[in-house]
Amino acid sequence: MRAYLPDYQLITPRSLAEALALLAREKGVWKPLAGGTDLMVLLEADQLPQKNYLNIWDLNELRGIEVREDRVTIGALTTYTEIQTNPVLRSEFPMLCQAASETGGLAIQNRGTLGGNIVNASPAADSPPALLAYNAELELVSLNGLRRVPYQGFHTGYKQLNISPDELLTRIRLPRKTKDLRHYYRKVGTRKAQAISKVCFAGVAGMDNKEIKDIRIALGSVAPIPLRCLKTEDALRGQRIAQPLLEIGKAELAREIAPITDIRSTKDYRLRVSLNLLEDFLMSLSAVAAER
Ligand SMILES: Cc1cc2nc3c(=O)[nH]c(=O)nc-3n(C[C@H](O)[C@H](O)[C@H](O)COP(=O)(O)OP(=O)(O)OC[C@H]3O[C@@H](n4cnc5c(N)ncnc54)[C@H](O)[C@@H]3O)c2cc1C
């Protein structure tokens, strides 16, 4: 059942300053609308209680992919299509490009934004695990100024974020420290395309022969928030890849994640798939080590 449209108000600010002024003047009254691909689904289902929207789509200040020596900065309004076609992102952040290419279909990829995917705060979203594994940082702006926060820790609970109603997410920063890392990203869903994840896994690792020098692992759809698995990383870092280590890593991951049964999958399936993906990731590292 579609919502009654005349109940809703949409304003298009001409600049970031104008948008921030409105968000500050009537705090909590206005909600940003970017690509609208999450919000419009709720509108169609009449599940959009908030009535006032700020159309931020035209704010150029939130667009563009900027490449600096030490980082890549992605505007919050960057679409999945733009992510996939950026040469630096393709070569240095392939997991983010893969997540973008496996998100929805072409229409969603042309309209859905990275900022919207983050602030929508779904634990099943596909780009957050890649962003967590890449140690992303977020820029949040309000009339009070700019805040930079690590993406890890931004999700404080189910659909809860460290963002105030008068703030906009403006940019996502990725440190360019991926050159010697091995990247592993898998989305497991009902179909190859147009499916929400049952489990989503992102891992990067730096190897020194068979020893894991550095490792970062994040999963989606296995907890109330996109989850960076720090304890599992600690159990694996500095160790040589061998069968006992696979078992140690899997046991730690099983303790760290908290999958549930819902309409998309079961707790048991999600747990099994998560452990299988960790094993596959570690085996892929061992194959790389063997080639050297
Ligand atoms: C058919 C379909 C398939 C989909 N498939 C996938 C999929 O495979 N994987 C996946 O992860 N998602 C999927 N989605 C969900 C959606 O497309 C993504 O989450 C998308 O990135 C949302 O971006 P948006 O710009 O459209 O967000 P919007 O709908 O405009 O906004 C989403 C939320 O973010 C807030 N917001 C947006 N931008 C900002 C900002 N800059 N600052 C502060 N708040 C902001 C809004 O207020 C709102 O709460 C799908 C959706 C549809 C309809």
Side-chain angles (χ1 to χ4, degrees):
M1 248 224 318
R2 194 178 201 194
Y4 183 60
L5 283 181
D7 285 346
Y8 289 83
Q9 201 180 353
L10 181 74
I11 285 186
T12 301
R14 279 162 301 180
S15 66
L16 178 59
E18 200 180 300
L20 296 178
L22 185 63
L23 290 173
R25 197 167 60 240
E26 298 180 74
K27 205 168 167 179
V29 171
W30 297 90
K31 196 175 163 81
L33 181 132
T37 60
D38 277 312
L39 288 173
M40 294 304 280
V41 172
L42 296 174
L43 182 81
E44 284 295 315
D46 197 10
Q47 285 175 16
L48 213 47
Q50 189 139 358
K51 302 294 184 205
N52 300 302
Y53 289 88
L54 197 61
N55 171 20
I56 60 172
W57 185 255
D58 292 335
L59 297 182
N60 284 329
E61 297 94 328
L62 274 60
R63 291 206 172 274
I65 299 173
E66 188 196 7
V67 180
R68 294 241 180 131
E69 200 178 325
D70 61 336
R71 63 176 180 271
V72 178
T73 304
I74 306 172
L77 288 175
T78 302
T79 65
Y80 296 111
T81 302
E82 289 164 340
I83 288 171
Q84 287 171 72
T85 48
N86 182 279
V88 177
L89 292 178
R90 284 169 75 101
S91 71
E92 297 181 29
F93 302 95
M95 300 195 302
L96 185 60
C97 294
Q98 193 180 335
S101 74
E102 294 181 21
T103 294
L106 287 182
I108 295 295
Q109 291 174 17
N110 284 336
R111 183 77 192 180
T113 67
L114 187 59
N117 201 226
I118 293 170
V119 182
N120 189 55
S122 164
D126 290 320
S127 42
L131 295 174
L132 285 169
Y134 286 140
N135 269 342
E137 198 180 46
L138 306 182
E139 276 187 14
L140 304 158
V141 173
S142 72
L143 278 194
N144 295 326
L146 182 147
R147 269 195 316 137
R148 283 207 187 97
V149 297
Y151 180 42
Q152 198 203 327
F154 186 63
H155 295 261
T156 53
Y158 177 70
K159 292 263 177 188
Q160 303 293 311
L161 298 172
N162 173 17
I163 187 171
S164 154
D166 63 344
E167 281 181 316
L168 284 176
L169 169 61
T170 46
R171 310 206 158 267
I172 298 101
R173 287 157 55 116
L174 299 173
R176 294 179 77 185
K177 290 183 181 160
T178 61
K179 199 166 141 273
D180 298 319
L181 298 179
R182 167 94 184 152
H183 309 242
Y184 177 99
Y185 180 90
R186 292 285 184 282
K187 167 176 175 170
V188 177
T190 306
R191 298 174 299 271
K192 271 258 172 221
Q194 292 283 25
I196 304 293
S197 290
K198 292 171 191 259
V199 174
C200 179
F201 184 108
V204 289
M207 300 297 292
D208 183 3
N209 200 0
K210 277 207 157 194
E211 186 183 315
I212 302 172
K213 298 297 278 182
D214 185 20
I215 188 157
R216 276 171 264 144
I217 295 168
L219 277 86
S221 279
V222 296
I225 60 172
L227 193 68
R228 174 91 182 265
C229 298
L230 295 168
K231 289 182 179 156
T232 306
E233 294 172 10
D234 287 345
L236 296 168
R237 192 176 298 107
Q239 306 295 326
R240 284 177 71 79
I241 296 185
Q243 192 59 38
L245 187 68
L246 301 187
E247 299 312 320
I248 290 168
K250 282 157 66 180
E252 198 58 60
L253 187 65
R255 279 192 286 273
E256 199 160 18
I257 62 177
I260 57 165
T261 298
D262 63 12
I263 48 163
R264 272 181 226 115
S265 190
T266 64
K267 178 182 169 175
D268 290 346
Y269 180 82
R270 286 185 160 121
L271 175 64
R272 172 65 67 91
V273 169
S274 302
L275 303 186
N276 287 350
L277 291 174
L278 177 65
E279 179 166 345
D280 196 42
F281 172 44
L282 295 174
M283 292 303 288
S284 74
L285 299 179
S286 125
V288 170
E291 280 166 18
R292 288 185 175 162

